[in-house]
């Protein structure tokens, strides 16, 4: 298998400094990422995204489980494995604010053992690509938040590593810069064929950039699937049905028995039934109930549902029977 | 080669920061120069005319080593403490070179830059006052290198402590005085101090500069102590630093939370 990143049953506990409470920040998470794949790690605040990413990039040792990068166990062969990884962590302070844009790039290259001469052309390319060329001699503390973030991403590209991890890359950016950063990330995927994990609590970002998402909540994986499939999954099973006339009490009773999630509205103009099906074949049960009184069906619409709603439903544990298995 | 690039990058950073904060740097250099001048001037003004040269030279040697120790040992603590709270320390920790190499490179870089400055100022002060110290480079060089290596070991220990404990500002303040004590207390007063870092080296440097002892007059025993100190402190420092890094990776201490 050409899995570049293999995460096997990792766990991480923290001890709270004051109360000494144990927090299970990451509790038995497993997934794999294939070469050239771009995975979205999605979850609300405190879900364990940062903790997971820091374990993958070797900044945190898992309490249990293992992480394999290109066949190397990151705990056992940390420095070797680090040749294949670079990361942009949350926040904009992971740069030297007293150095210029270019000096930051040169310094970080130097700390990976690369000479200034050798890095020069790559640095120049990155400055152009990230539209930072005209700021190359600007001190980092004078840059906007968005430019700092672009620089941080550029620095992670310096290593030319197979794997790039990005923790909340659009956090704290205004809409426009957030969009620009997204475009940059997309072009990295297209032009450089890197294996990428992006974490975010913003489903919009993930849906825009990633093909597949692992959704985590309270330290465990809730879903691991293609975004497309997740959307389909919920789409297929939510219908809005317009009826020719109101339904009988008997029908109502049967509906309530069969379908826990339905909304029935009827007035003098229109009668509609919104229904969520736990399994797609349940639609036949619905038809049987309607058939009882020969209720006319005027239209059947598949409700469109966006990723945000999917995400909220999954997080709330709604329809846990509908949770997809890794494909 | 990679190691040279690493060292080069850190020397450059050091140099850039000195240049960028020129007023600071000038103030530092000026203070240093004035203190040197005052000490040299002391040769003419105070003390017994027969021994004043010695006393002053003694103080100058102590002062230089104290300053170096502060730069090397104390500063690495401040750097890590700052960088951990900002997040750059995590970036460094992801370098496949290993943080310990980066930290060692930084220790060497700041020593290198500061020794150049010290030598410059020392020569300038000697030229200004016309008082020339005995600078037997061939004898001083190996002593200095070995002493610095043990100092780096101490620096790595402080670095390790800072990685785990972060808020060690108070400790760093106290450390200044411990370093001063190590440098200023003569070995004849407390012979056991020879096995502490720095002390033996400073003692030998004083013998060279003041009693004009040359390389072949220094006993093998003295050199052995220096070598053993250098090796042991550096290895212990490295081991301790790497241990602290592992603790930090286990407990999530590489950045502020
Ligand atoms: N260094 C730490 N010490 C103690 N608790 C932590 C630490 N880092 C994170 N946590 C806790 O672990 C949980 C997961 O945090 P995190 O991985 O940062 O979540 P996310 O990035 O998804 O917001 C949270 O409850 C957080 O408070
Ligand atoms: Mg986070």
């Amino acid at each position: 298998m050409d899995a570049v990143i293999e995460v096997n049953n990792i766990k991480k506990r923290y001890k709270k400094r004051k109360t000494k409470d144990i927090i299970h920040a990451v509790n038995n998470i497993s997934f794999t990422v294939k070469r050239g794949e771009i995975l979205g790690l999605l979850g609300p605040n405190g879900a364990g995204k940062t903790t997971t990413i820091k374990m993958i990039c070797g900044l945190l040792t898992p309490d249990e489980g293992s992480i394999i990068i290109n066949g190397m166990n990151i705990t056992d062969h940390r420095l070797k494995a680090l040749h294949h990884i670079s990361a942009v962590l949350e926040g904009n302070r992971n740069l030297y604010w007293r150095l210029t844009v270019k000096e930051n790039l040169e310094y970080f290259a130097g700390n990976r053992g690369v000479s200034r001469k050798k890095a020069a052309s790559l640095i120049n390319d990155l400055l152009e690509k990230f539209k930072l060329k005209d700021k190359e001699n600007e001190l980092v503390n004078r840059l906007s938040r968005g430019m700092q973030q672009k620089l941080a991403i550029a620095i992670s590209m310096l290593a030319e590593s197979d794997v790039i991890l990005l923790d909340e890359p659009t956090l704290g950016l205004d809409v426009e810069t957030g969009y620009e950063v997204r475009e940059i990330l997309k072009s990295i995927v297209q032009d450089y064929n890197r294996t990428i994990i992006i974490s975010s609590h913003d489903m919009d970002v993930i849906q825009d950039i990633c093909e597949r998402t692992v959704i985590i909540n309270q330290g465990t994986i809730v879903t691991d699937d293609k975004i497309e499939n997740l959307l389909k999954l919920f789409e297929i099973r939510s219908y809005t049905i317009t009826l020719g006339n109101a339904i009988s009490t008997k029908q109502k009773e049967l509906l309530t028995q069969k379908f826990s999630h339905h909304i029935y509205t009827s007035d003098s103009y229109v009668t509609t039934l919104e229904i969520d099906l736990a399994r797609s074949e349940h639609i036949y049960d619905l038809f049987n109930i309607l058939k009882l009184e020969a209720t006319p069906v005027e239209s059947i619409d598949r409700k469109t549902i966006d990723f945000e709603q999917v995400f909220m439903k999954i997080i709330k544990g709604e329809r846990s029977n509908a949770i997809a298995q890794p494909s | 080669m990679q190691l040279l690039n690493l060292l080069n990058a850190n020397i450059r950073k050091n140099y850039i920061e000195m240049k960028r904060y020129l007023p600071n740097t000038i103030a530092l250099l000026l203070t240093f120069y004035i203190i040197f001048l005052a000490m040299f001037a002391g040769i003419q003004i105070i003390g017994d005319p027969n021994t004043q040269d010695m006393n002053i030279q003694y103080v100058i040697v102590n002062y230089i080593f104290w300053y170096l120790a502060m730069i090397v040992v104390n500063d690495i603590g401040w750097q890590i403490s700052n960088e951990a709270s900002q997040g750059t320390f995590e970036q460094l920790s992801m370098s496949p070179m290993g943080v310990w190499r980066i930290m060692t490179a930084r220790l060497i870089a700041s020593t290198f830059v500061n020794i150049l400055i010290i030598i410059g100022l020392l020569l300038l002060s000697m030229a200004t006052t016309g008082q020339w110290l005995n600078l037997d480079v061939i004898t001083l060089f190996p002593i200095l290198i070995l002493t610095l290596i043990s100092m780096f070991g101490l620096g790595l220990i402080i670095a390790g402590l800072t990685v785990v404990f972060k808020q060690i500002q108070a400790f760093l303040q106290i450390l200044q005085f411990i370093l001063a004590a190590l440098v200023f207390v003569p070995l004849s007063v407390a012979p056991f101090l020879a096995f502490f870092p720095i002390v033996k080296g400073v003692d030998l440097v004083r013998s060279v500069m003041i009693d004009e002892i040359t390389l072949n007059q220094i006993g093998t025993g003295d050199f052995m102590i220096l070598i053993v100190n250098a090796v042991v402190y550096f290895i212990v420092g490295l081991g301790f630093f790497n241990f602290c890094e592992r603790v930090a990776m286990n407990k999530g201490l590489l950045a502020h939370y």
Side-chain angles (χ1 to χ4, degrees):
Chain A
M1 199 169 72
D2 58 345
V4 178
I5 307 170
E6 274 179 65
V7 175
N8 304 313
N9 305 96
I10 51 168
K11 293 188 183 177
K12 189 77 210 172
R13 291 175 293 270
Y14 292 117
K15 202 187 266 171
K16 264 199 178 161
R17 236 176 246 158
K18 280 177 197 147
T19 54
K20 301 276 173 213
D21 290 344
I22 305 277
I23 303 165
H24 293 263
V26 168
N27 204 355
N28 214 14
I29 281 183
S30 306
F31 58 85
T32 59
V33 191
K34 283 185 264 177
R35 189 168 302 281
E37 194 177 16
I38 171 156
L39 175 81
L41 193 60
L42 185 62
N45 270 330
K49 302 181 294 294
T50 300
T51 306
T52 305
I53 285 196
K54 284 189 180 175
M55 282 193 275
I56 300 174
C57 61
L59 291 174
L60 266 179
T61 315
D63 295 336
E64 281 173 48
S66 64
I67 293 163
I68 316 286
I69 308 287
N70 268 340
M72 271 170 292
N73 187 314
I74 180 102
T75 317
D76 301 341
H77 306 279
R78 185 165 173 273
L79 294 186
K80 253 194 196 163
L82 283 177
H83 275 289
H84 302 270
I85 309 171
S86 45
V88 182
L89 298 171
E90 212 178 329
N92 55 339
R93 304 255 19 200
N94 44 17
L95 303 164
Y96 290 93
W97 281 30
R98 297 168 154 205
L99 298 183
T100 65
V101 169
K102 197 168 173 197
E103 286 163 356
N104 263 282
L105 285 157
E106 287 170 348
Y107 184 60
F108 280 110
N111 274 328
R112 290 185 85 104
V114 182
S115 73
R116 223 151 43 95
K117 244 196 201 142
K118 203 171 160 227
S121 72
L122 178 58
I123 286 178
N124 205 47
D125 291 350
L126 287 171
L127 286 171
E128 304 251 332
K129 174 139 194 89
F130 287 75
K131 299 198 183 72
L132 287 168
K133 186 71 188 161
D134 56 327
K135 300 277 180 198
E136 67 177 3
N137 295 320
E138 192 87 49
L139 289 182
V140 167
N141 63 11
R142 301 230 186 90
L143 298 182
S144 67
R145 176 81 177 80
M147 284 193 208
Q148 289 170 344
Q149 184 65 342
K150 286 201 289 182
L151 176 58
I153 298 172
I155 287 172
S156 76
M157 297 288 295
L158 268 179
E160 304 194 279
S161 55
D162 304 339
V163 175
I164 300 179
L165 308 164
L166 298 131
D167 195 11
E168 304 265 13
T170 55
L171 189 74
L173 302 183
D174 59 71
V175 181
E176 202 181 334
T177 352
Y179 187 75
E180 196 189 342
V181 168
R182 281 192 211 181
E183 290 307 309
I184 286 176
L185 294 177
K186 281 193 228 170
S187 75
I188 291 175
V189 179
Q190 270 170 14
D191 307 348
Y192 297 89
N193 191 37
R194 306 283 166 85
T195 306
I196 300 181
I197 299 182
I198 294 179
S199 91
S200 183
H201 65 277
D202 183 351
M203 29 262 141
D204 222 35
V205 174
I206 301 288
Q207 186 177 12
D208 191 20
I209 306 172
C210 310
E211 300 151 32
R212 185 183 135 210
T213 181
V214 164
I215 302 183
I216 61 173
N217 192 28
Q218 298 182 345
T220 52
I221 294 187
V222 198
T223 295
D224 176 347
D225 205 344
K226 290 232 160 85
I227 288 172
E228 198 179 80
N229 292 348
L230 282 179
L231 288 170
K232 243 187 252 160
L233 186 79
F234 282 84
E235 209 173 42
I236 287 175
R237 293 164 186 183
S238 290
Y239 294 92
T240 304
I241 296 154
T242 314
L243 301 173
N245 50 261
I247 57 175
S248 69
T249 324
K250 173 110 195 286
Q251 281 176 310
K252 274 185 198 161
E253 265 170 30
L254 284 170
L255 273 178
T256 314
Q257 270 172 31
K258 280 267 177 201
F259 305 99
S260 49
H261 293 274
H262 77 273
I263 305 166
Y264 173 72
T265 47
S266 180
D267 55 38
S268 44
Y269 304 107
V270 67
T271 302
T272 58
L273 184 59
E274 285 173 52
I275 199 151
D276 280 9
L277 306 179
R279 302 174 65 88
S280 46
E281 53 272 28
H282 288 175
I283 192 115
Y284 303 123
D285 297 334
L286 174 66
F287 287 146
N288 287 337
I289 295 170
L290 293 175
K291 202 175 161 195
L292 280 179
E293 313 273 345
T295 313
V297 175
E298 289 186 347
S299 69
I300 300 177
D301 293 305
R302 225 163 61 178
K303 247 200 298 188
T304 51
I305 184 163
D306 68 11
F307 191 49
E308 183 149 358
Q309 284 165 288
V310 173
F311 175 62
M312 289 317 292
K313 284 191 184 202
I314 290 173
I315 292 300
K316 281 195 227 138
E318 230 175 83
R319 306 249 238 115
S320 52
N321 55 339
I323 281 166
Q325 293 304 307
S327 47
Chain B
M1 200 56 214
Q2 287 196 336
L3 288 177
L4 273 183
N5 294 335
L6 176 65
L7 187 60
N8 198 8
N10 281 286
I11 291 177
R12 220 178 110 80
K13 174 165 177 281
N14 216 304
Y15 166 73
I16 289 171
E17 283 173 345
M18 286 194 137
K19 209 174 67 177
R20 189 141 304 148
Y21 296 90
L22 205 56
N24 270 350
T25 312
I26 290 175
L28 186 89
L29 294 184
L30 218 55
T31 316
F32 218 109
Y33 181 55
I34 289 169
I35 290 173
F36 268 148
L37 281 188
M39 288 191 292
F40 277 97
I43 296 176
Q44 271 101 6
I45 301 161
I46 27 167
D48 177 352
N50 297 318
T51 59
Q52 62 196 183
D53 261 30
M54 276 186 201
N55 283 333
I56 291 298
Q57 292 187 16
Y58 195 95
V59 173
I60 290 173
V61 172
N62 289 350
Y63 179 68
I64 289 175
F65 270 89
W66 185 49
Y67 175 79
L68 260 184
M70 293 266 290
I71 286 289
V72 174
V73 177
N74 229 342
D75 196 54
I76 197 92
W78 289 108
Q79 281 182 30
I80 292 177
S81 177
N82 288 335
E83 292 203 24
S85 67
Q86 286 172 7
T88 44
F89 193 69
E90 282 188 320
Q91 285 296 324
L92 299 182
S93 302
M94 282 187 288
S95 164
M97 302 292 285
V99 210
W100 70 267
R101 285 197 185 86
I102 297 177
M103 289 303 128
T104 309
R106 282 199 180 174
L107 290 169
I108 297 173
S110 65
T111 307
F112 177 74
V113 172
N114 283 287
I115 279 189
L116 285 186
I117 289 174
I118 289 172
I119 290 175
L121 287 175
L122 198 56
L123 290 175
L124 192 65
S125 312
M126 289 194 290
T128 325
T129 56
Q131 290 281 333
W132 295 89
L133 299 182
N134 175 35
L135 292 176
D136 176 356
V137 179
I138 295 171
T139 311
L140 286 177
F141 189 72
I143 300 174
L144 194 63
I145 294 291
L146 289 170
T147 312
L148 286 174
I149 293 174
S150 74
M151 217 178 263
F152 294 163
L154 193 61
L156 287 169
I157 292 175
I158 301 304
L161 287 173
T162 319
V163 168
V164 172
F165 296 106
K166 298 291 171 350
Q167 306 297 332
I168 64 162
Q169 279 80 348
F171 173 72
L172 290 178
Q173 308 273 11
I174 297 168
L175 185 70
Q176 293 183 16
F177 297 105
I178 297 175
L179 290 173
L182 288 179
V183 169
F184 281 91
V185 175
L187 256 189
S188 50
V189 175
F192 66 93
L193 282 180
F195 295 100
F196 280 57
I198 316 172
V199 183
K200 185 71 189 172
V202 185
D203 192 64
L204 284 177
V205 170
R206 283 189 297 244
S207 315
V208 174
M209 287 177 74
I210 298 161
D211 307 331
E212 312 209 345
I213 283 173
T214 57
L215 197 53
N216 32 23
Q217 284 172 288
I218 297 173
T220 5
D222 284 339
F223 250 110
M224 278 316 286
I225 292 179
L226 265 191
I227 293 171
V228 169
N229 272 358
V231 172
V232 169
Y233 279 106
F234 192 72
I235 289 177
V236 167
L238 265 188
F240 184 75
F241 180 80
N242 284 328
F243 167 76
C244 291
E245 193 197 4
R246 268 201 298 282
V247 170
M249 288 193 303
N250 272 318
K251 297 196 172 168
L253 300 173
L254 289 179
H256 265 258
Y257 166 66

